[in-house]
């Protein structure tokens, strides 16, 4: 399914701009990505994109057919330079994955590198593990300060979950769900208000722990 077309349905109903996620490397080619971007802007009117890399690496010697996130960022930059007055400028952000930071301790470096490519924001995965997100945000802030960089905003995603099947999907996506959080969500008295309260508690802890003094 084309994410640009799908997002246009929400845009038409809500009257609001949508953030369109695009997995760049899986495009058929660089030229195909450029044509997709032109249609997305000209036909559907989108101007905000989240550029995403491939979910997994390929065997040695093989490459994805589409552009890397860095290459796609450059194509968006050139699109803005070549755009006419009637064509809106496009903006982009990237993802920030706290679980990846826990595993490799360099997600904050990835974020700063992407700022250099022109990223204007970052969007997290669904947050259930507060410690992973707190560590990433603190390291990101410290690195930006050390390098004299103004941090770009990080949009934090908090996701209520009320079904075990949904939780299986969340784990499949790579989100870490601590045992105590899952137990609270699926307690005997669990309800929609309980799952919403769990998400709110997670948000409260992350924002209070990472807030600047």
């Amino acid at each position: 399914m084309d994410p640009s077309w799908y997002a246009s349905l929400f845009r038409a109903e809500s009257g609001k701009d949508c953030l369109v996620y695009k997995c760049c490397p899986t495009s058929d080619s660089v030229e195909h990505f450029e044509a997709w971007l032109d249609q997305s802007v000209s036909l559907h009117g989108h101007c905000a994109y989240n550029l995403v890399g491939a979910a997994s690496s390929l065997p040695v010697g093989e490459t994805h057919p589409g552009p890397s996130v860095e290459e796609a960022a450059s194509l968006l930059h050139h699109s803005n330079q070549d755009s006419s007055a009637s064509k809106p400028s496009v903006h982009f952000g990237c993802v920030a994955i706290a679980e990846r930071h826990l595993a490799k301790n360099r997600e904050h470096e990835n974020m700063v590198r992407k700022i250099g490519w022109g990223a204007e924001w970052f969007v997290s995965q669904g947050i259930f593990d507060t410690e992973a997100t707190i560590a990433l945000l603190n390291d990101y802030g410290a690195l930006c300060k050390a390098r004299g960089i103004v941090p770009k905003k990080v949009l934090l995603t908090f996701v209520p979950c009320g079904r075990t099947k949904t939780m299986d999907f969340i784990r499949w996506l790579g989100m870490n769900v601590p045992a105590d959080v899952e137990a609270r969500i699926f307690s005997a008295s669990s309800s929609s208000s309980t799952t919403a309260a769990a998400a709110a508690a997670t948000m409260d802890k992350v924002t209070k722990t990472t807030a600047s003094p």
Side-chain angles (χ1 to χ4, degrees):
M1 181 184 296
D2 175 19
S4 176
W5 168 81
Y6 189 62
S8 72
L9 303 181
F10 291 91
R11 191 172 190 271
E13 290 296 322
S14 67
K16 304 290 184 180
D17 288 332
C18 291
L19 179 58
V20 181
Y21 274 65
K22 178 63 174 176
C23 183
C24 311
T26 57
S27 298
D28 291 340
S29 64
V30 172
E31 293 74 21
H32 182 267
F33 176 84
E34 289 182 290
W36 175 87
L37 178 63
D38 183 67
Q39 177 175 282
S40 179
V41 176
S42 302
L43 179 61
H44 299 305
H46 298 306
C47 61
Y49 300 87
N50 233 42
L51 303 182
V52 182
S56 59
S57 58
L58 293 175
V60 176
E62 295 185 26
T63 59
H64 290 284
S68 66
V69 172
E70 182 179 8
E71 291 168 336
S74 179
L75 292 172
L76 263 70
H77 176 69
H78 289 306
S79 175
N80 284 336
Q81 291 184 323
D82 297 337
S83 64
S84 63
S86 60
K87 187 177 179 181
S89 296
V90 294
H91 306 268
F92 81 92
C94 297
V95 296
I97 302 177
E99 288 81 359
R100 191 161 58 191
H101 188 61
L102 279 185
K104 300 182 178 180
N105 197 36
R106 61 174 186 240
E107 185 70 356
H108 60 314
E109 296 175 354
N110 292 336
M111 294 167 71
V112 168
R113 184 172 67 254
K114 290 170 183 177
I115 290 175
W117 300 345
E120 299 179 45
W121 62 79
F122 297 93
V123 182
S124 76
Q125 289 195 124
I127 299 171
F128 295 90
D129 184 348
T130 57
E131 299 308 318
T133 300
I134 290 168
L136 173 58
L137 293 178
N138 286 338
D139 288 347
Y140 169 60
L143 183 59
C144 287
K145 183 176 181 179
R147 296 189 181 179
I149 298 171
V150 177
K152 299 300 182 181
K153 69 179 67 176
V154 180
L155 307 177
L156 302 177
T157 306
F158 299 94
V159 186
C161 173
R163 299 173 60 221
T164 55
K165 190 172 183 179
T166 303
M167 182 60 72
D168 290 341
F169 180 62
I170 285 171
R171 291 187 186 282
W172 179 82
L173 288 172
M175 301 176 212
N176 183 43
V177 184
D180 62 315
V181 174
E182 184 172 3
R184 180 181 178 186
I185 291 173
F186 297 116
S187 64
S189 59
S190 180
S191 64
S192 58
S193 60
T194 303
T195 59
T202 300
M203 177 180 68
D204 187 61
K205 182 175 181 180
V206 169
T207 54
K208 286 183 176 178
T209 307
T210 59
S212 299

